[in-house]
Amino acid sequence: MMQNLFLIAVCLVGLGVYVALVRRSPNRSFFPLLGPGIILLGAAGLAMLRLLPIDAAENTARVLVALALLWIGWIGLVAFVVQAIHRRMPGSYPWPTLFGSVVTFSPVLGFLVARAMI
């Protein structure tokens, strides 16, 4: 039960972050800030998972922080792509935004599929 509530909270927070990033109109100052942020979040998450020793049974905080960094980086990447599409093709307004909001749920969907396979 607690795990399901956590997944619902993750979905809502992820959707809120996505809406906050996509809400503003795409301009030149948005891309130079979001692009390096995505790269830094992804690199930090991967470095924490791959380079540092992981004792998941003893120290779960490092794994959770790394997964959170990768998750926020994923949402930022989706927002970056949606903003780039809006910038290049302004006439396609609702569809990239709606598709991006559905794609933000993919990490949770992957977790649910992995849990069902076990």
Side-chain angles (χ1 to χ4, degrees):
M1 180 66 180
M2 190 64 156
Q3 192 175 34
N4 292 337
L5 291 175
F6 179 73
L7 289 176
I8 291 170
V10 164
C11 287
L12 292 177
V13 169
L15 196 57
V17 170
Y18 172 75
V19 167
L21 289 174
V22 174
R23 188 172 176 179
R24 54 188 295 202
S25 62
N27 56 18
R28 290 201 161 270
S29 66
F30 182 75
F31 292 104
L33 293 175
L34 190 58
I38 294 167
I39 293 170
L40 287 174
L41 285 171
L46 288 175
M48 286 182 76
L49 286 176
R50 297 290 179 193
L51 299 177
L52 298 174
I54 297 176
D55 297 329
E58 294 177 13
N59 190 3
T60 59
R62 184 182 305 156
V63 175
L64 292 176
V65 168
L67 290 176
L69 290 173
L70 290 172
W71 173 64
I72 296 294
W74 170 255
I75 292 172
L77 178 66
V78 171
F80 185 80
V81 169
V82 167
Q83 289 286 25
I85 290 172
H86 284 313
R87 191 170 173 203
R88 293 282 181 187
M89 297 180 289
S92 67
Y93 168 65
W95 297 113
T97 306
L98 292 174
F99 183 71
S101 65
V102 171
V103 171
T104 60
F105 297 129
S106 64
V108 173
L109 180 65
F111 175 76
L112 292 174
V113 168
R115 191 173 70 174
M117 299 294 254
I118 293 177

